[in-house]
DNA sequence: AAAATTAAGGTCAGAGAAGGTCAAAACATC
DNA sequence: GATGTTTTGACCTTCTCTGACCTTAATTTT
């Protein structure tokens, strides 16, 4: 079996034991599996993405860590399939359509929808294309996974 | 846990016990936590900044002290003064402090705070510095303006 | 009253401790 | 052999901690 898969399964094991949320030390894990530290990043970014229902946070420096949280869908997975619709980049208009839908289906209040639209409009994401649509996709997916 | 975090929590504890305003002795604290005095400055400047809703005053010399006061965001639409605090750029940690403050004083619901944090964290705004802090400031200000 | 001493707190740069990024090389798959 | 996935390493950024040196205020000495 591939190392990445071994590490993935190890992390999965930890997550289920620890009830959905774990904290990793990147360097320790790398030593444990005799690989370079960046392999841990590879596993995390390919296997524990928002698309797959995970939130990942981290801190550098002394006392640094990587925290992985498995999100339990509160709505039967509707939001997760929404996240998977977003893709690598998304225009403001498309995103707006999605948010409007969420509002119509009462997944979001009016104020929540307003906040999200304010966060992802062209004025907020003052970046050139294709950068802007790329960041918008990340922001949107991140928001959605966090409200599941 | 890191020393800085321990000291931060100790100070937080004091602040809530003392009803929002405390006076510290820098050297005493340093002895208490067996660290150099300047570590206290480090904790204060990284954790109790104006962005996070604190005012810090101090006096040197005999009888010197450090006073930390937690600012209570004034009722209603004082979002404007928050916007001014944001400036042209803002770190995620500072922004997080601001949003937490808004939640504490019921300017934002938990879900609204979550959405905003998800929108402006490092994972969402996957850009290099100083670009990241600049875009974060724009996003945050835009959100605040839209919820006024 | 001026000078000296003592008692605070402030600043800043450097070292150390983590995690992040990116592209090239190696390996698989079709 | 072209394409996709995994592995690796060089280099980067961020966060924390420390110590040397500085500034200010109160107290004591002369």
């Amino acid at each position: 079996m591939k190392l990445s898969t071994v590490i993935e399964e190890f992390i999965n094991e930890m997550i289920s034991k620890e009830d959905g949320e774990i904290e990793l030390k990147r360097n320790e894990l790398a030593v444990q599996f005799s690989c370079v530290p960046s392999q841990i990043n590879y596993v995390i970014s390919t296997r524990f993405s928002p698309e797959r229902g995970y939130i990942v946070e981290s801190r550098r420096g002394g006392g640094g860590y990587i925290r992985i949280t498995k999100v339990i869908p509160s709505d039967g997975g509707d939001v997760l399939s929404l996240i998977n619709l977003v893709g690598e980049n998304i225009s403001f208009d498309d995103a707006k359509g999605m948010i409007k839908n969420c509002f119509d289906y009462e997944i979001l209040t009016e104020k929540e929808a307003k906040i999200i639209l304010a966060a992802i409009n062209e004025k907020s994401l003052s970046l050139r294309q294709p950068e802007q649509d790329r960041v918008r996709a990340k922001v949107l997916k991140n928001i959605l996974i966090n409200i599941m």
Side-chain angles (χ1 to χ4, degrees), chain A:
Chain A
M1 209 194 312
K2 301 255 167 42
L3 219 209
S4 285
T5 313
V6 176
I7 298 174
E8 175 189 5
E9 288 181 358
F10 174 83
I11 294 176
N12 270 141
E13 192 84 358
M14 268 183 91
I15 291 176
S16 56
K17 265 190 202 130
E18 301 292 316
D19 214 44
E21 175 161 337
I22 57 165
E23 242 173 62
L24 262 50
K25 291 293 212 172
R26 190 182 73 150
N27 288 344
E28 277 179 20
L29 255 202
V31 168
Q32 199 176 325
F33 290 102
S34 334
C35 63
V36 293
S38 57
Q39 175 122 26
I40 308 300
N41 297 82
Y42 176 71
V43 172
I44 289 173
S45 62
T46 55
R47 270 74 164 180
F48 297 91
S49 59
E51 283 88 347
R52 295 182 180 212
Y54 296 90
I55 295 171
V56 178
E57 300 151 286
S58 66
R59 259 189 105 76
R60 308 184 190 191
Y65 60 83
I66 299 176
R67 177 161 50 231
I68 304 177
T69 309
K70 180 166 189 170
V71 175
I72 293 129
S74 55
D75 64 344
D78 289 348
V79 176
L80 199 60
S81 40
L82 256 193
I83 290 172
N84 280 282
L85 278 180
V86 176
E88 287 299 303
N89 36 254
I90 189 168
S91 71
F92 176 60
D93 284 350
D94 285 352
K96 195 172 171 184
M98 283 182 58
I99 297 307
K100 180 153 189 320
N101 251 327
C102 289
F103 172 64
D104 289 344
Y105 286 103
E106 291 176 348
I107 292 168
L108 296 169
T109 67
E110 191 180 348
K111 191 174 175 190
E112 287 159 4
K114 252 191 184 173
I115 290 174
I116 297 176
L117 291 178
I120 61 175
N121 67 28
E122 293 98 335
K123 209 179 157 209
S124 287
L125 305 180
S126 61
L127 297 162
R128 281 176 257 96
Q129 292 295 8
E131 207 63 352
Q132 183 180 131
D133 285 0
R134 201 205 94 229
V135 173
R136 180 176 296 111
K138 287 230 179 199
V139 171
L140 189 53
K141 284 187 280 193
N142 228 255
I143 290 174
L144 292 174
I145 193 70
N146 271 277
I147 60 170
M148 271 184 54

